[in-house]
Amino acid sequence: FEILSSQLALERSQSQDVVAFAQRMIEDHQAAGEKMVVAASSEGLAPTSQLMPDHQAQLDSLAASAAGDFDGVYLGAQLAAH
């Protein structure tokens, strides 16, 4: 969710600060995801790439938000996720 919503922020945000934050979220979560895949693989597990239903609903809501509301909705979703 953090990566997908942040990629959406790169496309839709009207604030350079939000764009910078989104880029950092993508980089940090990609690095963490790579470590998780290694750890899971070492235990014989395969992480899923599908979003949980609540995260998909949040992403859909974010994508549907009005341009003027996007940054606030995105930042609120990131706060709630962390």
Side-chain angles (χ1 to χ4, degrees), residues 1 9 13 15 37 56 74:
F1 170 77
S13 178
S15 164
V37 168
Q56 185 62 57
Y74 167 71

Side-chain angles (χ1 to χ4, degrees), residues 5-76:
S5 62
S6 294
Q7 289 171 334
L8 189 58
L10 292 180
E11 297 171 13
R12 296 208 43 214
S13 178
Q14 299 177 13
S15 164
Q16 287 303 313
D17 290 337
V18 172
V19 168
F21 174 77
Q23 186 62 49
R24 177 68 186 261
M25 290 295 291
I26 291 168
E27 292 166 4
D28 289 352
H29 282 84
Q30 283 177 335
E34 290 169 6
K35 290 177 184 177
M36 180 197 59
V37 168
V38 170
S41 295
S42 72
E43 296 295 323
L45 303 171
T48 181
S49 60
Q50 288 186 319
L51 291 177
M52 299 293 289
D54 60 328
H55 284 157
Q56 185 62 57
Q58 285 180 306
L59 187 62
D60 293 344
S61 177
L62 181 61
S65 65
D69 296 333
F70 180 85
D71 289 344
V73 174
Y74 167 71
L75 293 173

